[in-house]
C-alpha cells in the first residue's frame, strides 16, 4: 500500500492537477502537500480547506438517508434515525467512524476543488484535497482517481 508521499505524487499525475494535500480536518494540519499552493501560505490553505471539510462532515443535512445509510448497507429492520445518540449514519456507539459525506466538490470559473474523505483504521478525520485547472482537468475522471487513491492509502 502506498503512503502519503506516493499518493500525493500519484494525484499530481491527474490531468490538470495543480496541487494536492492530505489534511486532518479537526486540526487543519496538512499531513503532506504536493504541487502549487493557492495563496503562497500552505498552513493557511490547509486550515481554510479543513474548515470547509469540517462544515460539510458535521452537518446533519448531509447525513446518509434511509436504511443502510451507514457502512453495512444492510436493512436489518432496525431504525437508526438518531434516537440512540447517532445521526442514522453511525456505528451505533454514539460516534461516527467516518463522515457520511464522501466528496465535496467546488467549482469556480477556472478551477475544480475536490475533497475526498479517507477511511482510516483509527478515529480520525482525514481528507484528500485535489486542486485542478478547469481547462485541463476532467472532474469525473479526477473524482474516480481520487477515490481509488484514497482506498489504497496506507495511514499508520
Amino acid at each position: 500500500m502506498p503512503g502519503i508521499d506516493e499518493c500525493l505524487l500519484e494525484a499530481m499525475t491527474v490531468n490538470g492537477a495543480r496541487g494536492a494535500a492530505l489534511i486532518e480536518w479537526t486540526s487543519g494540519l496538512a499531513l503532506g502537500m504536493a504541487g502549487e499552493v493557492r495563496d503562497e501560505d500552505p498552513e493557511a490553505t490547509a486550515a481554510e480547506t479543513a474548515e470547509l471539510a469540517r462544515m460539510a462532515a458535521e452537518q446533519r443535512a448531509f447525513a446518509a438517508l434511509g436504511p443502510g445509510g451507514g457502512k453495512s448497507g444492510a436493512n436489518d429492520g432496525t431504525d437508526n434515525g438518531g434516537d440512540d445518540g447517532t445521526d442514522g449514519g453511525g456505528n451505533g456507539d454514539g460516534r461516527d467512524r467516518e463522515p457520511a459525506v464522501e466528496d465535496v466538490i467546488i467549482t469556480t470559473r477556472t478551477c475544480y476543488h475536490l475533497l475526498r474523505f479517507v477511511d482510516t483504521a483509527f478515529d480520525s478525520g482525514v481528507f484528500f484535497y485535489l486542486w485542478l485547472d478547469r481547462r485541463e482537468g476532467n472532474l469525473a475522471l479526477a473524482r474516480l482517481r481520487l477515490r481509488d487513491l484514497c482506498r489504497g492509502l496506507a495511514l499508520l
Side-chain angles (χ1 to χ4, degrees), residues 21-79:
L22 189 69
I23 302 169
E24 203 278 324
W25 59 267
T26 55
S27 68
L29 177 68
L31 304 176
M33 295 182 120
E36 299 175 35
V37 177
R38 285 190 323 251
D39 56 6
E40 308 272 334
D41 186 356
E43 292 83 16
T45 297
E48 291 168 1
T49 309
E51 188 173 330
L52 177 65
R54 185 173 40 257
M55 275 188 343
E58 292 177 347
Q59 296 304 313
R60 293 179 59 94
F62 302 126
L65 296 176
K71 267 190 147 177
S72 69
N75 184 0
D76 60 359
T78 60
D79 178 14

